[in-house]
Amino acid sequence: MSVMPRFSFDQWVTRVINPVGFVAVVLAFLFLPCASVSVTEWPSMVLRDNSIFVLRDNSFFKAVTDDSVTGGNIAFRDGPPHQSAHRSGYGWSVELRMGTIVTVLVMAAGAGTGLVRPAERRLRHAAQVAAVAGVFLALAVLSAAGRMEDNTYGLLANEFGQRGEEEFHYAAGPETGFWVSLTGLALIFAINLFALRALRRRG
């Protein structure tokens, strides 16, 4: 009768939790919305082409400005795939694109830390990768949100002039994909530190 091998806690962490966790974090960043922009307040009237327009609701401005992007959008395509009002794209800078790609590569590299020997080094490297990836993730997403906010400013200013733009309030910031990825990295970091401490106590 065969007996299934019993894994210690650090083995479960390095062989199961880390690979699965890092892959899940990469997928969340690439395919879930990680940054968005939205109009939060709008004026009752706007000036356009020297004519005053009365606004009954904000549906038009939501169609024009509200948008979200994934990490994949930032790294591999210029603009969002679904919003026609932003069809000109956000003009992501080369630095932002490269930073986003590096973020993905760093997170993906975390899945390979299980190949490192010995066990103590595996745990330490995984925690370090999670911490570095978290910093890159925050920088990439916040930079993208800032670019989206600038683009929205330009859309409103171009459409309604400076006076009209000043009467709008909009916000850009992190979205679900960012928080899921960041939470995953934080959990990986904490679990590996805990396992590393337990391994040192046992050794």
Side-chain angles (χ1 to χ4, degrees), residues 36-140:
S36 66
V37 63
S38 176
V39 170
T40 57
E41 295 182 30
W42 60 97
S44 59
M45 295 183 296
V46 295
L47 179 65
R48 182 181 182 186
D49 298 329
N50 295 320
S51 300
I52 295 177
F53 289 82
V54 178
L55 305 178
R56 300 186 183 278
D57 58 56
N58 70 331
S59 58
F60 170 76
F61 298 104
K62 281 189 171 295
V64 170
T65 62
D66 285 22
D67 192 31
S68 62
V69 294
T70 67
N73 295 146
I74 301 170
F76 305 115
R77 54 190 304 166
D78 185 50
H82 55 283
Q83 293 284 3
S84 60
H86 289 276
R87 58 184 176 274
S88 60
Y90 292 113
W92 309 119
S93 65
V94 174
E95 293 81 3
L96 179 55
R97 284 182 183 275
M98 293 305 298
T100 304
I101 293 173
V102 168
T103 300
V104 173
L105 293 177
V106 171
M107 291 190 292
T113 55
L115 302 175
V116 178
R117 296 291 185 272
E120 182 175 337
R121 187 177 295 176
R122 287 198 298 269
L123 295 168
R124 186 169 63 250
H125 285 355
Q128 291 170 343
V129 170
V132 172
V135 173
F136 276 104
L137 174 68
L139 290 174

